[in-house]
Amino acid sequence: MPPSARVLCAALLTAVCLLACAAPPAQAQTDGILQIGGPAQRFLERQKTLGRLPDTFVSNRPLSAYELQAALDSLTANYGDELSSGEERWVARLQNDVPQPGAGLAQSIWGRLYPNGRDMAEVTGDGYALQLNPLLYAGLGQARFSDSTNVTTWRNTRGVRASGHIGPIFFESRLTENQERPALVQFQDGTAPGIGFALIQDDDTYDYITATGMVGFRSRFFEVRFGRDRNRWGYGLQSLNVSDAAPAYDQLQIRTKVWRLEYTNLFTRYIEPERIRDPERGGNTTYPSRYGAHHRLALQINDRIQLEVFESIRFAPQTDSLVNRSNYELAYLNPIIFYRAVERDIGSPDNAMLGIGGSWRPVDGARVYGQFLLDELRVSEIGSGWWGNKWGWVLGADVAGLGSDHLALQVEAARLRPFLYNHFYTPNAYVHYRDPLGHPAGPNAYDVTLAATYDPPSRWQAGLTTRWTQRGRNPAGENIGSDPQVSTNTRSRDYVDMLSGVRQTTWTVDVHAGAEILPQLFLEAALRVDATDDAVRGTTRFVQPYVVLRWGLPFDAPGLR
């Protein structure tokens, strides 16, 4: 076992031993970890906007089933009289007090399937439980381009999800095998956007496997998780700091909740998809590992205001005239230290970022929020376009309960300066498998997103997302700060304005509507409209209607994870 793995395992064992003395939590009605874009998460966020979860933190995604259960208990205990009949059905469904749509039909046809009305198969006993559910995402469509070209698109995802608990230990594991033909192929040296490692077949079909698994321990004040998964921190549709735009990564996570505070530590390992070549070992070896440390402190000021401060640092093994480090930097394992100070003390070789955010409900049912990330700053150069002033912001608002208890609307805008997420030492760039770990628009970009979801507890649901992104991409042979994987030492100029380079504007619309046939099995019709105008490459536009049959997985726009 490499030293870095021993360090992470030792940290995990220490944390579990310390927490084992605490009283175990109450039994959750469900097990495992919620889907970031799933219906349970959306329901909690609507209730938070409506003001019914004033002391609950729902912006540190994904939540565990224990956190879901605690939020539902708080909701029914304090605001049960204010819930509509539809919201009461949602609570009952999430607590597994009523069968989900289609469970009775499955039981009558196939006998023992869906014994609890939610999971296809379940085994329970004194202090333990195991649930098994299928995973399926089958899509078929036709993309018609503006030049009259037609492309048949499809996706074939099948797999299994296992979840459960043994005493206070809970776990969640997902495994899928996938083939996908997107409308636009974006394959680069063994990777595809949002997927990570993939194979390419016939120059147009992705072939890949996804595997996530988390094991955790929950007590009154602490929750510890270890495994591989994605995260998204913050109040909006996207995060500048920790987003789910990149594939899943290995991690150790510790969540601490006391009083009105939530403090989260996240220690991670990322992958750089450029193999180390060693002729003495037969050529290519493994992909090199890169590491990260993140922490976030959220404070509930009162029933309407929540604030956050966060810090992240990205670092890589390096042995040269500046750094002599072969594995994880031990100093960053300190859970209550200021990373920037540590980075300065060891010679400032790493990529440190810090930021703040906040959420405010001026009235029940409406919320405004913002986030600011600072990568680097020279005060004397503010407003000058100096390349080293690297920062970004997100502003947004959402509305819940407008005309329906199950309708939510959200609008969000972002601005990301050139060279944000970049570093002079390219392994320290804030990326994982070439995908940004922060906002998916990347540096040197503006982004505006509008989303609407209609999510009743009945069979029907629908969603709409439209996104406008304008960026200045790097011209051929130049570095003006739009690609975080390129070293800042190769920059073409010291002063760079927003959207410098080749202007590129992308507008997408994704809409879907469907019905739940069996528990978590949806049949949907969907439509994507995509238009990209590039000052050099020209215009690419297509309309793509398609149908989806998905089981146990949230809706995904084509080509995104």
Side-chain angles (χ1 to χ4, degrees), residues 30 34 61 94 181 198 201 328 480 482 496:
T30 57
L34 307 185
R61 293 156 280 191
L94 294 174
R181 170 54 164 110
Q201 299 178 349
Y328 205 98
I480 48 84
S482 67
V496 183

Side-chain angles (χ1 to χ4, degrees), residues 28 32 100 141 303 375 384 412 462 467 497 504 536 547 550-551:
Q100 296 189 28
D303 290 351
D375 190 343
S384 68
E412 183 172 294
R467 181 179 177 188
D497 295 326
Q504 185 182 80
V536 173
V547 293
R550 58 181 178 90
W551 207 345

Side-chain angles (χ1 to χ4, degrees), residues 68-347:
L68 169 64
Q69 185 62 44
L72 295 177
D73 290 343
S74 174
L75 179 64
T76 54
N78 299 314
Y79 298 91
D81 295 339
E82 299 181 16
L83 298 179
S84 68
S85 58
E87 290 170 324
E88 289 176 347
R89 290 199 303 272
W90 253 124
V91 172
R93 177 174 176 174
L94 294 174
Q95 290 181 323
N96 199 34
D97 292 336
V98 296
Q100 296 189 28
L105 176 64
Q107 289 173 332
S108 63
I109 295 178
W110 294 306
R112 296 186 178 182
L113 296 183
Y114 297 100
N116 61 10
R118 180 193 70 247
D119 301 297
M120 176 171 279
E122 182 186 42
V123 177
T124 60
D126 184 14
Y128 68 88
L130 171 66
Q131 301 95 31
L132 291 175
N133 286 283
L135 298 177
L136 175 71
Y137 203 106
L140 179 65
Q142 190 82 9
R144 182 174 179 83
F145 287 78
S146 55
D147 62 0
S148 299
T149 302
N150 290 322
V151 174
T152 300
T153 63
W154 52 272
R155 176 179 166 188
N156 178 16
T157 293
R158 62 269 181 217
V160 65
R161 171 182 179 255
S163 60
H165 73 274
I166 303 174
I169 305 296
F170 64 90
F171 56 89
E172 168 96 13
S173 180
R174 301 187 187 102
L175 175 67
T176 65
E177 167 74 15
N178 311 266
Q179 288 80 38
E180 180 177 359
R181 170 54 164 110
L184 296 173
V185 177
Q186 303 178 62
F187 187 81
Q188 181 181 355
D189 298 330
T191 66
I195 293 174
F197 177 77
L199 300 175
I200 191 76
Q201 299 178 349
D202 301 324
D203 297 325
D204 59 15
T205 302
Y206 303 153
D207 188 349
Y208 58 98
I209 295 174
T210 63
T212 62
M214 297 292 290
V215 60
F217 178 92
R218 176 80 175 180
S219 71
R220 179 183 177 187
F221 298 111
F222 299 96
E223 184 176 289
V224 178
R225 303 180 190 176
F226 181 73
R228 174 175 293 187
D229 203 354
R230 302 184 185 191
N231 299 279
R232 190 202 299 170
W233 292 0
Y235 307 106
L237 297 166
Q238 302 295 343
S239 173
L240 296 172
N241 180 39
V242 175
S243 79
D244 57 339
Y249 44 84
D250 299 314
Q251 58 186 269
L252 166 64
Q253 187 172 162
I254 305 173
R255 301 185 179 204
T256 305
K257 293 183 181 179
V258 61
W259 187 54
R260 294 184 172 184
L261 293 171
E262 180 188 58
Y263 183 57
T264 306
N265 295 98
L266 178 64
F267 308 103
T268 58
R269 185 187 73 160
Y270 305 118
I271 299 298
E272 182 179 348
E274 298 291 345
R275 287 187 184 272
I276 300 174
R277 300 183 182 276
D278 185 356
E280 296 182 359
R281 300 180 61 183
N284 293 337
T285 60
T286 59
Y287 293 130
S289 296
R290 310 307 183 200
Y291 302 101
H294 316 260
H295 50 197
R296 175 181 185 256
L297 178 65
L299 170 63
Q300 191 73 47
I301 301 295
N302 55 38
D303 290 351
R304 296 189 178 276
I305 300 175
Q306 189 177 114
L307 300 178
E308 64 170 349
V309 292
F310 52 86
E311 189 183 20
S312 294
I313 194 155
R314 164 74 179 237
F315 57 98
Q318 182 181 0
T319 301
D320 55 23
S321 60
L322 295 176
V323 183
N324 184 11
R325 177 175 58 207
S326 59
N327 288 286
Y328 205 98
E329 177 59 60
L330 292 177
Y332 297 137
L333 288 174
N334 188 328
I336 52 173
I337 204 166
F338 185 47
Y339 293 147
R340 180 65 184 91
V342 173
E343 193 244 1
R344 178 200 59 202
D345 290 345
I346 63 176

